[in-house]
């Protein structure tokens, strides 16, 4: 069965420090992987995706993520956190091997960036 | 920048009543989706829709639920007889293609069933 795990409910980081939000996945085929961010009272905003090719993908607002097939991970990173990055972050996976378009989401990780 | 829009932002209804949640997907998109997020839980897939028919649905999407694209711009989710456990945030999404393309989400409709 397809699944996504975000092992940390919350990540705390000081402004200016690097941040990492972790994500691991389980799918039967080659995954399509996504990160979304949710600000209070807002919808899910797309940050970045991995489909194929270079394992390091760059996205919006200076975020990047690294696909690691052997560890089945897709951690979100940013070299220097901003207070405005504080939000709820969701990792999602799609397994195209069965012709499925649905996204399977992780439980979300709340990022708190302190001044 | 084109966005997915949803109305209403908040809907309060009595148990057993019918509700229709409305979405306007991005105009050149061909695939449409509904997801829901019960408070404190994961975002869950409900249904995907392409070429005027359901292409995939989850176990949650039972006979109480239906979707429709009544015209060239709107995409609706109907819940025929709401239950308390239908209280959730409902997100509409659309994508240009189904395969690798990105799903763009609307701001959501918060449904409260009393």
């Amino acid at each position: 069965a397809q699944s996504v795990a975000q092992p940390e409910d919350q990540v705390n980081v000081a402004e200016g420090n690097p941040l990492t939000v972790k994500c691991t996945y389980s799918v039967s085929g080659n995954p399509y992987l996504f990160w979304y961010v949710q600000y209070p009272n807002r919808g899910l905003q797309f940050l970045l995706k991995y489909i194929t090719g270079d394992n390091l993908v760059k996205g919006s607002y200076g975020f990047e993520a690294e696909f690691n097939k052997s560890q089945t991970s897709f951690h979100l990173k940013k070299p220097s956190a901003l207070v405005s990055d504080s939000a709820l972050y969701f990792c999602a996976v799609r397994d195209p091997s069965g012709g499925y378009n649905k996204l399977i989401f992780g439980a979300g990780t709340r990022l708190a960036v302190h001044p | 920048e084109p966005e997915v829009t949803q109305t209403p932002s908040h809907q309060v209804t009595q148990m057993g009543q019918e509700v229709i949640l409305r979405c306007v997907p991005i105009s050149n998109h061909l695939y449409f989706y509904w997801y829901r997020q019960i408070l404190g839980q994961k975002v869950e897939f409900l249904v995907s829709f392409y070429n005027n028919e359901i292409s995939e649905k989850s176990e949650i999407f039972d006979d109480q639920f239906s979707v429709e694209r009544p015209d060239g711009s709107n995409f609706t989710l109907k819940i025929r007889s709401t239950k308390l456990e239908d209280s959730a945030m409902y997100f509409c999404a659309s994508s240009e293609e189904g395969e690798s393309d990105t799903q763009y989400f609307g701001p959501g409709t918060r449904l409260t069933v009393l």
Side-chain angles (χ1 to χ4, degrees):
Chain A
Q2 306 155 50
S3 65
V4 177
Q6 294 182 241
E8 303 151 317
D9 290 336
Q10 178 150 333
V11 169
N12 296 297
V13 64
E15 187 174 31
N17 283 1
L19 68 88
T20 299
V21 183
K22 295 179 181 176
C23 171
T24 59
Y25 64 89
S26 173
V27 298
S28 55
N30 292 318
Y32 294 168
L33 294 155
F34 302 80
W35 276 101
Y36 286 85
V37 59
Q38 186 178 32
Y39 296 99
N41 301 315
R42 301 285 296 276
L44 299 165
Q45 294 181 38
F46 169 71
L47 276 181
L48 50 80
K49 67 182 178 184
Y50 172 82
I51 303 300
T52 187
D54 194 349
N55 289 343
L56 183 66
V57 292
K58 294 185 184 297
S60 307
Y61 312 120
F63 284 94
E64 58 189 29
E66 186 164 14
F67 171 61
N68 187 318
K69 188 171 184 177
S70 63
Q71 296 186 4
T72 62
S73 67
F74 189 57
H75 300 332
L76 181 70
K77 300 183 180 188
K78 187 174 182 181
S80 178
L82 300 172
V83 172
S84 57
D85 293 329
S86 299
L88 191 55
Y89 289 80
F90 291 95
C91 182
V93 67
R94 185 189 304 165
D95 179 2
S97 63
Y100 304 123
N101 291 339
K102 66 181 179 185
L103 292 175
I104 305 296
F105 282 87
T109 298
R110 188 165 299 281
L111 174 67
V113 182
H114 305 285
Chain B
E1 184 179 323
E3 292 182 332
V4 176
T5 59
Q6 291 184 243
T7 54
S9 57
H10 193 188
Q11 173 94 44
V12 181
T13 190
Q14 296 291 325
M15 191 169 55
Q17 294 296 304
E18 175 184 286
V19 294
I20 297 176
L21 310 183
R22 291 182 167 80
C23 168
V24 178
I26 296 173
S27 61
N28 64 330
H29 286 189
L30 301 177
Y31 291 80
F32 314 114
Y33 312 84
W34 284 101
Y35 291 80
R36 79 173 185 189
Q37 185 181 29
I38 294 172
L39 190 63
Q41 296 186 26
K42 292 184 181 185
V43 177
E44 304 171 289
F45 169 79
L46 292 177
V47 66
S48 61
F49 190 85
Y50 171 71
N51 201 26
N52 279 321
E53 61 182 27
I54 290 173
S55 49
E56 190 180 359
K57 61 181 182 179
S58 71
E59 331 56 86
I60 304 166
F61 195 88
D62 61 22
D63 292 344
Q64 293 295 328
F65 292 88
S66 63
V67 288
E68 192 179 31
R69 188 155 163 82
D71 53 42
S73 58
N74 289 283
F75 179 52
T76 62
L77 174 69
K78 181 192 289 186
I79 309 175
R80 283 193 191 80
S81 178
T82 50
K83 308 184 189 78
L84 294 176
E85 54 265 36
D86 293 327
S87 295
M89 181 73 90
Y90 288 80
F91 293 107
C92 175
S94 68
S95 65
E96 195 167 350
E97 299 175 10
E99 262 291 309
S100 61
D101 214 8
T102 303
Q103 293 179 25
Y104 292 92
F105 285 75
T109 293
R110 181 166 296 285
L111 177 64
T112 302
V113 182
L114 303 176

